[in-house]
Amino acid sequence: MVSRAERGPVADWFWTIDRFFLAAFILLMGIGFMLSFAASPPIAERLGLDSFHFVKRHALFLPPSLVVMVGISFLSPRQVRRTAIILLVISVAMMALALFFGQEVKGSRRWLSLAGISVQPSEFMKPAFVVVCAWLFAEHARQPEIPGNLLSILLFGIVGALLVAQPDLGQTILTTVVWGGMFFMAGMPWLWIIVLASVAMGGFFAAYSILPHVAGRIDRFLTGEGDTFQVDTAREAIIRGDWFGRGPGEGIMKRVIPDSHTDFIFSVAAEEFGIVFCMVVVVVFAFVVLRGLNHAFRERNDFNRFAVAGLVLQIGIQSMINIGVNLELLPAKGMTLPLISYGGSSMVAICVTAGFILALTRHRPEKRAVERSLFRSGVGVPAE
């Protein structure tokens, strides 16, 4: 145990970190590792690999992901912003390179091979994009003559164009909703709301009209006709699990569910551990989102408020999309369940997001006292 009397980076971190956030993130990582034993062996056997191939790889990514999360949580808000800018520049450049030199998987170019390791740059773009846009919104709120809102719109246009070019409609929708939520928090005028909502709806109908796989998934969701094997088997797994599941290792549908270790791991959890267990997982995600929004509501620093709200919205909406697809409430879309699904890029990137949240929600009493003084005197609180 670290004493309160001690002084140093580790002692300061221990006494200022939000332990509830930290515990929730570690709990989700532990659940993901446990579920990898249930969900990944059938996929490995289907591919002719060792039964625990994906379990071992999942375990391999856990320590560096944890180090990334804890390491980033030591940063100050100013260091978080600078880290996010560097990460955004690198990830956007890699997304552009992936369009020309990336590996084509299921008709999309989202991956780059670096030293034999496949990396999905868009996963790392998401938390960096949120933090940078939060900074731009905060600067505009502090000094209206700074075109922060306009710059964020231009940045969103660049990121959105790269995602559509891959194509990756799911990540495009996720990024759009999170960015729109932050813009709304920043005081978006109603005219902008109408214009941007119209553009978003136009983009959706354009994707439906131009991209056959998008139209096919939406049509199958609305009519129930065509190849609905994925969602049908996922639904069957949930039904078979009932309230308390069939028991660890006793699932049957996981042997036929495509991508049971990634996009449909929630269905595997339902079959083996039951609906009650799945409700616990949902509660943990809801706790992360609500705690983050509560912190953002109480935060006086605009940058911290926008960034924390955007980051927890990103985790919450991504988990909602994944679970919604598993429950057949949304059209089929390949999107991982944060910190639970298998995937090196996804896990490390979500730990970057978690690290940013932990860093921005640390309790800094001296800084809070200065902010309260500035707020009461009518002076805006500058972003660090």
Side-chain angles (χ1 to χ4, degrees), residues 204 208 212-232 235 264 320-321 323-333:
F204 175 79
Y208 179 83
H213 72 282
V214 173
R217 288 181 178 182
I218 295 175
D219 289 342
R220 287 192 294 272
F221 173 73
L222 294 176
T223 65
E225 300 175 355
D227 182 10
T228 58
F229 178 74
Q230 283 184 315
V231 292
D232 288 344
R235 183 188 63 233
F264 290 94
M320 186 174 67
I321 292 174
I323 294 172
V325 169
N326 278 258
L327 295 176
E328 214 170 346
L329 298 175
L330 295 172
K333 175 67 197 82

Side-chain angles (χ1 to χ4, degrees), residues 47-304:
L47 297 174
L49 302 171
D50 174 68
S51 296
F52 293 100
H53 172 78
F54 292 112
V55 175
K56 294 174 182 176
R57 288 184 63 84
H58 194 115
L60 186 66
F61 282 113
L62 278 176
S65 298
L66 193 59
V67 169
V68 166
M69 180 177 69
V70 174
I72 290 177
S73 70
F74 275 83
L75 302 180
S76 68
R78 179 175 297 175
Q79 292 169 329
V80 166
R81 188 188 72 222
R82 292 173 178 174
T83 302
I85 292 173
I86 295 172
L87 182 59
L88 182 64
V89 171
I90 294 173
S91 58
V92 167
M94 291 177 66
M95 288 172 65
L97 290 174
L99 297 177
F100 301 97
F101 308 105
Q103 305 168 1
E104 185 171 341
V105 179
K106 299 181 180 179
S108 297
R109 291 187 178 273
R110 307 173 188 172
W111 301 82
L112 278 178
S113 181
L114 301 176
I117 301 176
S118 293
V119 177
Q120 188 174 0
S122 60
E123 291 288 348
F124 296 92
M125 174 277 299
K126 290 187 296 184
F129 173 76
V130 168
V131 172
V132 172
C133 283
W135 171 56
L136 293 173
F137 289 141
E139 287 300 298
H140 180 78
R142 186 171 65 91
Q143 299 183 47
E145 64 272 14
I146 297 177
N149 290 356
L150 177 60
L151 290 175
S152 73
I153 293 174
L154 295 175
L155 182 59
F156 170 72
I158 294 171
V159 167
L162 288 171
L163 289 173
V164 171
Q166 290 182 349
D168 192 342
L169 185 62
Q171 297 284 20
T172 305
I173 293 174
L174 174 61
T175 303
T176 301
V177 173
V178 172
W179 177 80
M182 293 171 61
F183 203 168
F184 183 80
M185 285 185 61
M188 180 196 303
W190 280 104
L191 177 61
W192 278 108
I193 294 176
I194 296 172
V195 171
L196 294 176
S198 301
V199 171
M201 291 300 295
F204 175 79
F205 284 112
Y208 179 83
S209 304
I210 297 172
L211 302 175
H213 72 282
V214 173
R217 288 181 178 182
I218 295 175
D219 289 342
R220 287 192 294 272
F221 173 73
L222 294 176
T223 65
E225 300 175 355
D227 182 10
T228 58
F229 178 74
Q230 283 184 315
V231 292
D232 288 344
T233 51
R235 183 188 63 233
E236 181 64 23
I238 295 172
I239 293 172
R240 289 174 61 86
D242 206 14
W243 287 103
F244 300 103
R246 304 179 67 86
E250 298 299 319
I252 297 175
M253 300 307 296
K254 66 183 181 182
R255 300 188 178 279
V256 294
I257 298 177
D259 303 319
S260 62
H261 61 322
T262 54
D263 302 341
F264 290 94
I265 196 168
F266 188 82
S267 297
V268 175
E271 183 180 20
E272 298 204 354
F273 298 96
I275 295 174
V276 172
F277 175 81
C278 290
M279 291 172 65
V280 172
V281 173
V282 172
V283 167
V284 176
F285 279 116
F287 170 79
V288 169
V289 175
L290 293 176
R291 188 170 182 83
L293 292 178
N294 181 60
H295 180 91
F297 178 77
R298 293 183 290 107
E299 178 64 60
R300 299 199 184 279
N301 183 291
D302 285 336
F303 167 65
N304 287 7

Side-chain angles (χ1 to χ4, degrees), residues 130 178 182 185 293 305-315 353:
V130 168
V178 172
M182 293 171 61
M185 285 185 61
L293 292 178
R305 179 167 69 251
F306 299 151
V308 171
L311 291 167
V312 296
L313 280 177
Q314 177 194 313
I315 293 177
T353 304

